[in-house]
Amino acid sequence: MRAAVVTEFGGPEAVRIVDAEVPEPAARQVRIKVAAAALNPVDAGVRAGAFGGAGKQIGLGWDVAGTVDATGVATAWEAGDEVVALDYGMVRPLAAHAEYVVVDTAAVAKAPATVDAVHAATLPLNALTAAQALDLLRPAPGQSLLVTGAAGAVGGFAVQLAAHRGVAVTALARESDAELMRSLGAAHVVSGAVDPGGFDAVLDAAVLGETALEWVRDGGAYVGVIPQAHPAPVRGVRTAAVEVSADGALLAQLAGLVDRGVLKLRVAETYALEDAAEAHARLAEGGVRGRLVLIP
């Protein structure tokens, strides 16, 4: 099979397409024939060496949508099931940017029925991150939440999920993204100055750190998206950072919200797997609204 990997760190040009053996599922694993796989900033970090692994072949890709192709023992999934999954992990020889991928059954969920595989592939990593960040924040219905980086993938899901839970969401985004933010459920959109202490909680998808912490009221809550990189608590503000985990049960709930029209999935552009380096170059340019998706 073909797979996108890096064998030495660098820019988009470091991405290579190689031939590899089709992986075999072990117990409590399934093999997925990949129909689409989203490209995320974490893939750029892996490619650049942010997570180590020098001297090794490292596979790229965390998000996958496709069809179960084979199963190990002790799994309820069957060949032919259409699924989505988070293929979690930093430094592995092969990952989701390939024609086939093996994942643990606990990471797999039934694919949304109302969207195609390209759109479904944008769901796992970013929606799980947003949902797990909100679980850490625990905003109550009616409380105020500021989402920084709200036009990005994680931020966009956070806006939608929080609004669905009855939270009063303010999106921090560019003026040009205001209409998009309101369509996702934001009650307010700000693009300039933010009042200190003005919010019960902040989900800092833009990684503003202490600047965003100042916008939380005394005794409120702050959650960032870079594991173990959140600012220290001040003024009684509870601080934490989400570290996404594969959770097939939660992913199934999120897929259900897609089918109910609660969550909108955004695809910016698609690329053939062979053009993965071009997709990385586009991601590096910035300004992408929605996800870039690779198609084997």
Side-chain angles (χ1 to χ4, degrees):
M1 71 169 187
R2 297 167 302 156
V5 305
V6 293
T7 54
E8 55 185 42
F9 301 135
E13 71 284 350
V15 178
R16 299 177 53 212
I17 304 300
V18 299
D19 290 322
E21 293 291 329
V22 175
E24 294 295 333
R28 294 180 293 279
Q29 290 185 324
V30 299
R31 184 172 68 208
I32 300 171
K33 180 175 173 56
V34 179
L39 174 65
N40 290 284
V42 67
D43 297 308
V46 171
R47 184 202 72 222
F51 306 104
K56 301 178 181 179
Q57 173 178 296
I58 304 173
L60 301 170
W62 289 44
D63 279 328
V64 60
T67 305
V68 173
D69 171 74
T71 66
V73 298
T75 173
W77 297 102
E78 297 179 352
D81 289 340
E82 294 184 359
V83 297
V84 289
L86 177 64
D87 183 24
Y88 179 91
M90 296 293 183
V91 181
R92 301 159 293 161
L94 297 170
H97 291 170
E99 292 182 299
Y100 295 88
V101 63
V102 166
V103 298
D104 293 341
T105 56
V108 181
K110 182 179 178 181
T114 55
V115 298
D116 60 20
V118 170
H119 285 79
T122 68
L123 182 68
L125 175 59
N126 296 290
L128 283 171
T129 300
Q132 291 169 3
L134 288 172
D135 288 345
L136 288 173
L137 281 172
R138 303 191 300 273
Q143 285 192 314
S144 58
L145 169 69
L146 176 69
V147 178
T148 75
V154 172
F157 281 123
V159 169
Q160 295 177 80
L161 289 168
H164 178 64
R165 299 179 185 183
V167 178
V169 181
T170 296
L172 181 61
R174 297 176 183 175
E175 289 184 10
S176 58
D177 289 319
E179 183 177 348
L180 169 64
M181 293 297 92
R182 293 189 180 94
S183 75
L184 297 182
H188 307 283
V189 183
V190 294
S191 56
V194 179
D195 293 333
F199 297 91
D200 295 312
V202 168
L203 197 166
D204 187 18
V207 197
L208 302 179
E210 293 183 356
T211 298
L213 182 61
E214 294 178 1
W215 300 331
V216 184
R217 66 163 174 81
D218 292 359
Y222 166 101
V223 166
V225 296
I226 304 297
Q228 303 177 357
H230 55 283
V234 294
R235 300 180 287 105
V237 176
R238 176 171 53 86
T239 67
V242 64
E243 182 169 1
V244 70
S245 61
D247 185 335
L250 178 56
L251 184 56
Q253 295 177 27
L254 295 167
L257 292 178
V258 173
D259 285 336
R260 290 167 52 192
V262 174
L263 290 182
K264 299 177 182 178
L265 304 178
R266 296 181 289 157
V267 173
E269 299 175 50
T270 60
Y271 292 80
L273 178 63
E274 290 86 348
D275 299 325
E278 293 181 23
H280 276 254
R282 175 66 188 93
L283 182 65
E285 292 173 2
V288 177
R289 292 295 176 260
R291 274 288 163 251
L292 307 174
V293 179
L294 301 179
I295 302 174

